[in-house]
Amino acid sequence: MLSLASTVRLAAGTRLQHDAVRERWVLLGPERMLIVDDMARLILERSHGLTIGALCQALAAEFDAPLATVETDVLALFTSMSEKGFLRHD
Amino acid sequence: MTDALSPPLAILLELTHRCPLRCAYCSNPLALTPAADELSTADWCAILDQAAAQGMLQVHFSGGEPMARADLPQLVAHASRLGLYSNLITSGVLLNEAKLAVLVEAGLNHVQLSFQGLDEAGAEALSGFKGGVAKKQAALACVQAADLALTLNFVITRQNADQLDAMLSYAEQHGIARVEVANTQYYGWGLQNRAALIPSEAQLDAMSTLVAAWRERVKGRMVIDYVIPDYYARRPKACMGGWAQRFLNVMPDGTLLPCHAAQTLTHLDFPRFPASTLAEAWFESPAFAAYRGTAWMPEPCSGCDNKEKDWGGCRCQALALAGNASTLDPVCEHSPQHQQVVTMARREAQLGDVPLQLRRFSFAVEGD
Ligand code: SF4
Ligand code: SF4
């Protein structure tokens, strides 16, 4: 289970790539692809080396958003990405 | 609709039809391409150049056994330079530490390794290859030692369907992040051998229950993709995400297809590289346009709510089962042939031990 104390990283064989022709970003993995919007991409890029809790605090401060909402959204995003196999967590 | 047509997302290169295995379920065509007709290294590199320029993101190196091509590392390196995500689809029997190191160095992103089960006798019966399981297990160890992303592909037939739990346990014990439970599809040699391979409905139900339970248990650690034979289903699968909508397939001789089985549609004139570029094939060829979207659809598909979900199912299956590629996939419950298909599948699944016809190169058949 993913929690605020977890850290996430891209699963082996997964990468974030710019799809120049279609002007968007995608997560590419074996036989699968996920389109990521700007916010999801930013969250992924910022997640490096931080616990999800610390990441959410930083995001809440930066975007002046309620921490509880940010936590719910980020956990939902990362849970869905890890169930699809794009993310691993500790 | 054609105005909005975007380029394919992925390309599958059948580098060769040569393979040390002779799987009875192989989806390569019955008329395998001889080595002499395979494209050259320069041709494959040019195909990769065009794929990247067109905006494709992933390349699957497949076959046959792609490792039977000595230039595989060169092709992988070329794909990486172009920023393409590369996947090697292999039986693993030609893989060793040294060969893998070269591929890793070339920038390979992912390996998909297939197993026909975990017992040697069963795997040999299906693949005509002795000692394959041991070789595959060694290949798996090499890939893991190199820290390369890996998918295990378990090929399921009625011979090994009852071992699925053991296969999934094996994957879990080895810490595999992604598993495909791939029931054989009935194309090419697999279609020839369908009566010997097709699982029963009871086996299929047991597998589905087992996969659901496993998915729940390994959530977040191991992803399980599950491919079923749709003969028992009520609705067909969206074959390849819709005819000529996402994937491009290249045969060893450069024939360009919307899916690997499409060469059975002999009424269509498929373009061939280098006479045709990938873009010409995709955007301009009548063969690719033939079943794209919904305009070609007969009743009942044209008035069906599902038409943009399953795109009328698989054209090759329509041809194989209904004798007409331009009709709806006969596994659909709205097809007049539906009941016939289910009855046939049930009957074949009860036939027990039917001799397997292992694949062979038709041009080398003399004295076989
Ligand atoms: S299905 Fe078997 S025979 Fe066919 S290419 Fe794959 S490993 Fe070779
Ligand atoms: S009628 Fe055609 S579109 Fe509708 S479910 Fe059947 S195959 Fe799919």
Side-chain angles (χ1 to χ4, degrees):
Chain A
M1 258 307 275
L2 217 54
S3 74
L4 294 176
S6 314
T7 54
V8 295
R9 65 201 133 78
L10 290 182
T14 300
R15 72 184 193 212
L16 188 61
Q17 180 163 325
H18 186 228
D19 177 358
V21 168
R22 298 168 195 81
E23 297 178 346
R24 64 188 184 190
W25 284 78
V26 290
L27 274 176
L28 282 183
E31 310 261 340
R32 52 187 66 210
M33 200 191 88
L34 185 72
I35 300 166
V36 285
D37 62 22
D38 289 343
M39 189 45 95
R41 186 181 139 219
L42 179 128
I43 295 171
L44 268 179
E45 286 173 347
R46 297 281 175 84
S47 66
H48 194 76
L50 293 180
T51 63
I52 296 181
L55 168 69
C56 290
Q57 284 175 10
L59 292 170
E62 179 174 347
F63 295 97
D64 199 16
L67 182 60
T69 316
V70 175
E71 288 175 347
T72 312
D73 291 353
V74 171
L75 280 173
L77 177 75
F78 284 170
T79 300
S80 136
M81 283 178 172
S82 34
E83 283 173 6
K84 289 179 185 139
F86 292 106
L87 287 185
R88 306 288 282 178
H89 58 82
D90 308 301
Chain B
M1 198 213 83
T2 27
D3 321 61
L5 178 61
S6 63
L9 290 165
I11 187 166
L12 187 136
L13 308 182
E14 292 175 23
L15 295 181
T16 177
H17 278 160
R18 287 172 288 139
C19 183
L21 276 67
R22 303 173 54 209
C23 302
Y25 59 79
C26 186
S27 61
N28 283 165
L30 299 180
L32 294 162
T33 306
D37 292 352
E38 290 173 12
L39 295 181
S40 68
T41 308
D43 285 333
W44 289 117
C45 286
I47 286 176
L48 290 166
D49 288 335
Q50 292 187 9
Q54 236 195 302
M56 289 183 231
L57 301 172
Q58 285 181 316
V59 54
H60 303 285
F61 293 102
S62 179
E65 173 50 65
M67 295 202 60
R69 288 271 308 205
D71 57 0
L72 180 65
Q74 258 171 284
L75 302 179
V76 170
H78 197 76
S80 333
R81 275 194 296 277
L82 294 165
L84 293 164
Y85 183 102
S86 56
N87 176 24
L88 172 64
I89 301 176
T90 181
S91 69
V93 302
L94 300 179
L95 197 69
N96 58 34
E97 214 178 306
K99 283 187 179 154
L100 186 68
V102 176
L103 291 169
V104 170
E105 175 66 29
L108 184 66
N109 294 109
H110 179 265
V111 174
Q112 180 186 310
L113 181 61
S114 62
F115 279 79
Q116 291 90 15
L118 295 170
D119 73 296
E120 290 285 7
E124 184 182 340
L126 277 172
S127 69
F129 189 85
K130 228 182 173 46
V133 177
K135 286 216 158 71
K136 287 161 182 287
Q137 290 178 325
L140 185 152
C142 285
V143 175
Q144 291 198 307
D147 244 344
L148 199 56
L150 172 69
T151 293
L152 288 196
N153 172 279
F154 289 113
V155 181
I156 310 291
T157 66
R158 79 162 169 266
Q159 287 81 353
N160 65 15
D162 304 333
Q163 302 166 24
L164 180 57
D165 194 48
M167 297 185 209
L168 292 171
S169 299
Y170 178 83
E172 189 188 26
Q173 280 156 20
H174 286 79
I176 305 295
R178 183 164 177 270
V179 173
E180 280 178 5
V181 175
N183 275 275
T184 53
Q185 302 292 300
Y186 303 109
Y187 303 111
W189 296 87
L191 182 60
Q192 291 289 105
N193 285 300
R194 188 185 59 210
L197 298 172
I198 195 165
S200 68
E201 260 171 313
Q203 283 183 310
L204 187 59
D205 289 346
M207 283 191 269
S208 303
T209 309
L210 194 66
V211 167
W214 267 91
R215 275 182 174 157
E216 196 47 43
R217 198 156 77 66
V218 296
K219 219 185 226 174
R221 283 188 288 134
M222 181 162 108
V223 174
I224 305 175
D225 279 3
Y226 180 45
V227 181
I228 58 163
D230 57 1
Y231 282 42
Y232 300 117
R234 292 170 52 210
R235 297 289 164 82
K237 283 181 288 209
C239 191
M240 310 301 289
W243 174 271
Q245 298 198 42
R246 295 194 196 163
F247 298 99
L248 188 69
N249 186 97
V250 191
M251 285 184 62
D253 67 356
T255 304
L256 303 169
L257 302 171
C259 91
H260 66 284
Q263 27 69 30
T264 56
L265 276 55
T266 49
H267 65 293
L268 297 178
D269 187 14
F270 288 106
R272 191 162 151 186
F273 182 91
S276 164
T277 64
L278 305 192
E280 282 161 0
W282 188 258
F283 291 104
E284 291 163 29
S285 90
F288 276 69
Y291 300 113
R292 190 182 268 137
T294 55
W296 64 274
M297 284 182 175
E299 281 296 340
C301 297
S302 53
C304 177
D305 287 347
N306 232 28
K307 67 179 175 187
E308 297 201 343
K309 290 200 193 99
D310 67 31
W311 306 101
C314 172
R315 300 302 86 229
C316 308
Q317 194 152 280
L319 178 66
L321 296 179
N324 177 6
S326 309
T327 190
L328 69 163
D329 190 326
V331 306
C332 176
E333 63 181 339
H334 302 304
S335 162
Q337 277 103 351
H338 173 75
Q339 205 43 51
Q340 218 177 306
V341 168
V342 179
T343 308
M344 178 193 66
R346 286 191 183 131
R347 185 179 52 78
E348 290 186 351
Q350 302 311 321
L351 291 176
D353 268 339
V354 177
L356 293 164
Q357 191 194 341
L358 296 181
R359 90 166 215 176
R360 55 190 147 74
F361 269 92
S362 44
F363 56 84
V365 72
E366 290 88 18
D368 191 299

